[in-house]
């Protein structure tokens, strides 16, 4: 889940999320380019196992193409800043109350326009590779009334479900996928959000005991309040903690909650909470895959070679289809 990522919010690092294997490749390059040029560390994260161990067919960017992205002057400047006994300098001194506050605020200049630099580097990669890039992306009905906001691999599940419900059920639903969490960019978020939106559900893959809501929920709520969009109803939910499964029928239950006259303001999905009764009821399995799709399940027992053999079999199928 995202508990470890959210614990790093106050470090000053930029935070960039990938929701798929192919996106992880692009965002890894973007993170390095931005960090090298602006000297702000970037935490590029994606869901462990669900994305990190996924076997998928992607368009790889070759090293020669990657070299064309690099700002070599920024690389030289980075090397020149390294500690060198031939060019000694003072670094990392203790700062007292007389100057510490001023130094912290002086760092604002490194973050001003940082989202623009992420966009610039991403679009540069898009132009040279054809791989689409967006810091905040929308998928679903063009005039959606109910929108899920989510980050990470669940964005793929939500996107496929929203598209299915929109095309085959006529529901005005959609999903807004967050990739840039820090620095938060309100203008790009609002530009991606359909103007017809009436209700939003923000999903967090973490739990903060005692808070009014989890990090992504609070970010979206405060942004809508500051931008005078108080007419939009915002609710929040938690899902997928400890790698708990997140499936299309759970996404459907979230949209059904949003459609209620009085939606549950805080909830969990994916478990049966018989202690604090916060969980949403989840219906039967919802198949959102295109008609004619073939699915197979491979069983690996462990310790007898079947896990590795099944992985090899999956790769062979991928290469031959």
């Amino acid at each position: 889940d995202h508990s470890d990522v959210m614990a790093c919010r106050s470090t000053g690092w930029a935070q960039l999320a990938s929701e798929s294997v192919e996106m992880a490749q692009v965002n890894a390059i973007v993170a390095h380019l931005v960090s090298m040029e602006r000297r702000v560390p970037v935490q590029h994260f994606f869901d462990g196992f669900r994305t990190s161990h996924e076997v998928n067919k992607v368009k790889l960017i070759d090293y020669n193409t990657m070299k064309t992205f690099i700002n070599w002057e920024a690389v030289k400047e980075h090397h020149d800043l390294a500690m060198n006994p031939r060019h000694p300098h003072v670094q990392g001194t203790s700062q007292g109350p007389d100057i510490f506050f001023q130094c912290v605020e002086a760092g604002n200049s490194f973050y001003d326009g940082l989202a623009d630099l992420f966009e610039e580097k991403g679009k540069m990669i898009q132009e040279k590779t054809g791989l689409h890039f967006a810091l905040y992306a929308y998928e679903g009905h063009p005039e959606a009334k109910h929108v899920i906001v989510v980050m990470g691999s669940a964005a793929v599940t939500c996107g496929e479900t929203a598209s299915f419900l929109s095309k085959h059920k006529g529901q005005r639903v959609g999903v807004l996928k967050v990739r840039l969490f820090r620095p938060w960019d309100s203008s790009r978020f609002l530009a991606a959000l359909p103007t017809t939106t009436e209700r939003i559900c923000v999903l967090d893959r973490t739990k903060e005991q005692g808070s009014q809501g989890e990090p992504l929920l609070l970010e979206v709520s405060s942004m809508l309040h500051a931008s005078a969009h108080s007419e939009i109803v915002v609710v929040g939910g938690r899902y997928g903690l400890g790698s708990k499964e997140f499936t299309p029928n759970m996404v459907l239950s979230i949209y059904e909650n949003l459609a209620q006259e009085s939606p549950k303001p805080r909830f969990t999905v994916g478990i049966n909470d018989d202690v604090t009764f916060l969980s949403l009821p989840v219906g039967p399995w919802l198949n959102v895959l295109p008609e004619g799709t073939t699915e197979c399940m491979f069983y690996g027992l462990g310790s007898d070679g079947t896990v590795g053999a099944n992985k090899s079999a999956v790769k062979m199928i991928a290469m031959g289809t």
Side-chain angles (χ1 to χ4, degrees):
D1 56 41
H2 297 165
S3 301
D4 49 358
V5 173
M6 294 306 170
C8 299
R9 281 173 293 155
S10 62
T11 60
W13 286 47
Q15 294 182 297
L16 185 65
S18 290
E19 65 215 36
S20 67
V21 177
E22 191 164 69
M23 186 180 295
Q25 176 190 215
V26 174
N27 282 352
I29 299 172
V30 170
H32 278 82
L33 296 177
V34 170
S35 185
M36 190 64 69
E37 195 160 311
R38 187 60 71 90
R39 306 214 304 272
V40 171
V42 179
Q43 182 188 58
H44 169 224
F45 64 94
F46 43 89
D47 291 345
F49 286 108
R50 180 59 190 85
T51 302
S52 63
H53 284 57
E54 180 179 326
V55 179
N56 209 328
K57 293 191 286 187
V58 301
K59 180 180 178 181
L60 290 175
I61 304 173
D62 63 86
Y63 288 126
N64 288 329
T65 303
M66 288 184 194
K67 285 176 68 176
T68 65
F69 302 151
I70 298 173
N71 181 340
W72 294 103
E73 286 297 319
V75 173
K76 182 182 183 301
E77 184 179 354
H78 176 71
H79 288 168
D80 291 342
L81 286 169
M83 300 190 76
N84 189 324
R86 296 186 179 183
H87 307 287
H89 66 275
V90 177
Q91 185 171 314
T93 59
S94 173
Q95 295 176 344
D98 54 334
I99 62 167
F100 176 77
F101 195 173
Q102 297 92 312
C103 291
V104 169
E105 292 300 320
N108 293 345
S109 57
F110 286 90
Y111 296 88
D112 292 340
L114 188 58
D116 295 333
L117 187 59
F118 274 101
E119 183 88 13
E120 176 190 322
K121 298 303 181 184
K123 292 301 182 183
M124 177 183 67
I125 295 174
Q126 177 178 310
E127 290 172 6
K128 295 189 177 183
T129 65
L131 297 172
H132 181 68
F133 181 87
L135 296 174
Y136 302 87
Y138 175 78
E139 183 178 355
H141 196 287
E143 296 181 343
K145 295 195 299 181
H146 301 158
V147 175
I148 290 174
V149 176
V150 67
M151 184 165 57
S153 62
V156 178
T157 306
C158 291
E160 291 178 350
T161 307
S163 295
F164 174 83
L165 294 174
S166 173
K167 292 175 184 177
H168 299 287
K169 304 295 182 180
Q171 296 187 24
R172 293 172 61 182
V173 296
V175 55
L176 200 157
K177 308 171 184 180
V178 174
R179 282 82 180 252
L180 186 65
F181 183 64
R182 287 286 185 275
W184 184 265
D185 192 298
S186 299
S187 60
R188 285 182 171 86
F189 182 100
L190 292 171
L193 186 69
T195 56
T196 52
T197 302
E198 296 177 2
R199 294 180 175 183
I200 288 175
C201 174
V202 184
L203 295 178
D204 277 276
R205 201 163 198 160
T206 186
K207 165 75 171 178
E208 291 203 348
Q209 296 285 3
S211 70
Q212 292 192 78
E214 275 60 51
L216 188 57
L217 169 63
L218 295 182
E219 202 73 50
V220 172
S221 298
S222 61
M223 176 201 63
L224 292 174
H225 177 76
S227 57
H229 284 82
S230 56
E231 76 282 359
I232 298 178
V233 176
V234 182
V235 302
R238 292 182 296 279
Y239 74 100
L241 270 67
S243 296
K244 179 72 76 176
E245 284 290 335
F246 184 66
T247 54
N249 49 333
M250 298 176 192
V251 179
L252 176 60
S253 71
I254 293 169
Y255 284 126
E256 289 174 344
N257 179 58
L258 281 176
Q260 298 292 325
E261 184 176 347
S262 298
K264 209 167 192 173
R266 300 290 183 272
F267 64 84
T268 60
V269 66
I271 63 171
N272 179 23
D273 180 5
D274 57 358
V275 178
T276 57
F277 308 104
L278 292 176
S279 56
L280 296 181
V282 177
W285 180 262
L286 178 66
N287 185 9
V288 299
L289 293 175
E291 190 174 345
T293 301
T294 299
E295 296 182 89
C296 303
M297 180 178 290
F298 293 81
Y299 288 91
L301 303 178
S303 78
D304 64 348
T306 50
V307 173
N310 287 337
K311 190 173 182 181
S312 297
V314 169
K315 288 183 177 179
M316 283 171 22
I317 294 171
M319 295 298 289
T321 58

